[in-house]
Amino acid sequence: MSRILIVEDEPAIALALQTDLRLEGYEVEVAEDGETASQRARDEPFDLILLDIMLPGKDGFAVCREVRSAGVKVPILMLTAKAQEAEKVLGLELGADDYVTKPFSALELRARIKALLRRTEDATPEVQRFGDLEIDFGRIEVRRADVALDVTPIEFKILAALVKRGGRVVSRNRLLDLVWGENTYGSDRVIDNHVANLRKKLEDDPKKPRYVISVRGVGYRFDG
Ligand code: CA
């Protein structure tokens, strides 16, 4: 399921977008200001960001610039309020992938989102290799030296969440959300237990992990 971050300060528009995209089967989250949006886009694995330009505080251009200079390659679809050529050009120059001009139709927006997601899916390899470790996102399988490891679906989700972050730290809270869904309440110990089990299958020496690294007081990161 693709995860989309909607950045929109007008509650009515944000709600309409959220409702529509959820019905389309996307996992959707909303940020209402530029600062929050920029932070979350850099810290969390989203598959697409729908970014309004006119925002309180930091505007969409600034958010786009920050996200790109942090090296985050997530597709960004900008929402421009005015049909002004300069705005579109600036957005694209700052690293946005496409734009939609307000007012837009739900149909058009869905089509643009699909096209952008397809573009990145094509570009993202289904299998990622790290030494003799292979993570197969298509078959939901982890192999070491060509032998499939007996990882549970939860362990695979944890591993995938870490790998997709490209080496950045994922907090335990965030992992709980990503693996079990928002609005579920789990304890840090649940995560730690699953990570311990995952390491037993993945690592040469689970006590000195090479791949799934603990970040004290925060969470975990994947060292590829
Ligand atoms: Ca706005």
Side-chain angles (χ1 to χ4, degrees):
M1 186 162 54
S2 296
R3 221 169 145 247
I4 299 178
L5 177 66
I6 297 172
V7 187
E8 172 60 84
D9 58 311
E10 288 154 76
I13 299 177
L15 184 64
L17 287 170
Q18 192 179 17
T19 308
D20 189 55
L21 295 177
R22 280 200 176 136
L23 282 173
E24 287 290 293
Y26 299 113
E27 194 186 325
V28 182
E29 299 197 27
V30 177
E32 290 168 2
D33 64 88
E35 190 59 51
T36 310
S38 175
Q39 195 65 50
R40 295 195 65 180
R42 284 176 287 150
D43 284 356
E44 299 173 36
F46 288 101
D47 297 296
L48 187 135
I49 296 173
L50 203 53
L51 180 61
D52 189 31
I53 290 179
M54 303 292 280
L55 295 167
K58 204 168 268 179
D59 70 8
F61 295 125
V63 173
C64 191
R65 192 186 295 120
E66 284 183 1
V67 169
R68 289 301 185 234
S69 53
V72 178
K73 293 190 179 75
V74 59
I76 297 178
L77 181 57
M78 279 201 151
L79 301 175
T80 67
K82 309 151 209 162
Q84 280 179 358
E85 213 54 38
E87 253 191 6
K88 297 173 190 169
V89 171
L90 181 56
L92 296 175
E93 273 176 359
L94 289 172
D97 297 274
D98 201 0
Y99 56 83
V100 179
T101 307
K102 283 179 178 176
F104 47 82
S105 75
L107 209 63
E108 184 193 3
L109 187 70
R110 280 182 225 150
R112 296 289 185 95
I113 287 175
K114 269 200 189 123
L116 270 183
L117 287 173
R118 210 180 302 126
R119 223 198 276 171
T120 39
E121 267 164 27
D122 291 346
T124 313
E126 280 219 323
V127 180
Q128 291 203 35
R129 291 183 180 81
F130 307 94
D132 65 351
L133 191 69
E134 287 185 337
I135 300 161
D136 189 329
F137 293 98
R139 295 170 65 172
I140 311 190
E141 196 175 270
V142 185
R143 295 182 290 270
R144 259 199 88 173
D146 289 330
V147 178
L149 303 179
D150 184 25
V151 298
T152 66
I154 296 277
E155 288 161 9
F156 188 87
K157 280 190 177 181
I158 292 175
L159 183 62
L162 297 176
V163 169
K164 285 186 174 166
R165 270 216 64 210
R168 281 171 297 154
V169 186
V170 186
S171 70
R172 286 187 178 80
N173 265 341
R174 196 62 215 145
L175 277 173
L176 283 168
D177 284 352
L178 289 171
V179 175
W180 282 275
E182 306 256 342
N183 308 320
T184 51
Y185 298 91
S187 72
D188 290 357
R189 200 180 298 160
V190 174
I191 291 280
D192 294 341
N193 286 341
H194 284 286
V195 167
N197 290 332
L198 179 62
R199 279 174 173 158
K200 282 181 202 151
K201 299 168 187 177
L202 218 62
E203 307 278 359
D204 284 332
D205 181 357
K207 293 214 159 51
K208 286 181 196 153
R210 182 223 174 290
Y211 295 112
V212 181
I213 312 296
S214 300
V215 180
R216 189 185 285 252
V218 186
Y220 297 96
R221 66 182 174 82
F222 184 83
D223 200 349

